[in-house]
Amino acid sequence: AASGVLPGLAAPHQPSFAVFLADVLGVYSLGAHTGGRRALGGLALMFAIGAPFEVAAHARGFAGTDLLSPLVFTLVFWVIGQIISGRRRRTSELETLTRELEQQRELQAQAAVAVERGRIARELHDVIAHNVSMIVVQAGAAARVLEGEQVHVRRRLAAIEKTRAAARGAKSRP
């Protein structure tokens, strides 16, 4: 509204460039800081209020000879403000999307690490279980082919087989 009133009120007292500059700043601000219906409504209000003042100033000889130029400049700077506003909104949206993608990437990396750790743990368990089974089988075979009493050796071989039996029992419990 002020940008619409300013040309008519200030034209007799201010140079036309200062009025033009204030009008351009007001129209740009309207385009840059409002959106949708509010921006169009503000532009229409500015024209509705400013047009009679502009015509009156033109009739008194204070305005330039062309009434179309202020209209064109007003629309151009309003459109520039709208473009800047749209770019700001898009930049904000892209920054938000970038943060979300970074968070998703981090979660995916953590999930991949967890999966790999699980795979390594299963593989390690299988290798150890196989080696322990081989030790028990070798101990049983050694007990069968052992000659003589050798009580200490037989006790140790029996302890290995008892450990295997206890491990099987613990594994089968819920």
Side-chain angles (χ1 to χ4, degrees):
S3 290
V5 172
L6 187 63
L9 295 177
H13 309 292
Q14 292 290 327
S16 60
F17 183 74
V19 174
F20 170 74
L21 190 60
D23 190 40
V24 164
L25 182 62
V27 172
Y28 168 79
S29 295
L30 177 69
H33 300 293
T34 59
R37 291 183 179 172
R38 289 182 73 190
L40 290 173
L43 189 62
L45 178 66
M46 192 187 83
F47 280 124
I49 292 173
F53 285 108
E54 189 69 34
V55 170
H58 183 69
R60 289 185 304 220
F62 291 113
T65 57
D66 186 13
L67 285 176
L68 187 60
S69 294
L71 176 67
V72 170
F73 276 110
T74 299
L75 288 175
V76 165
F77 282 98
W78 182 79
V79 168
I80 290 172
Q82 286 284 292
I83 291 170
I84 299 289
S85 176
R87 287 185 178 257
R88 253 186 286 172
R89 276 193 309 273
R90 184 66 180 149
T91 299
S92 176
E93 290 170 0
L94 290 173
E95 287 172 351
T96 300
L97 286 173
T98 299
R99 282 191 299 274
E100 289 174 2
L101 287 173
E102 286 173 356
Q103 290 171 351
Q104 288 178 359
R105 188 183 72 218
E106 181 64 30
L107 290 174
Q108 287 175 343
Q110 290 173 358
V113 167
V115 167
E116 183 64 15
R117 284 181 181 165
R119 186 192 64 77
I120 290 170
R122 284 188 302 278
E123 190 174 310
L124 186 59
H125 175 269
D126 291 347
V127 168
I128 291 172
H130 175 74
N131 287 338
V132 169
S133 294
M134 291 305 297
I135 291 169
V136 171
V137 168
Q138 293 294 328
R144 286 186 183 78
V145 295
L146 189 63
E147 294 182 7
E149 272 308 302
Q150 300 180 12
V151 178
H152 294 298
V153 175
R154 289 194 186 276
R155 258 191 260 149
R156 300 254 161 80
L157 293 174
I160 292 172
E161 288 195 63
K162 283 180 188 175
T163 303
R164 176 182 177 221
R168 279 188 179 169
K171 189 175 181 182
S172 65
R173 288 184 217 147

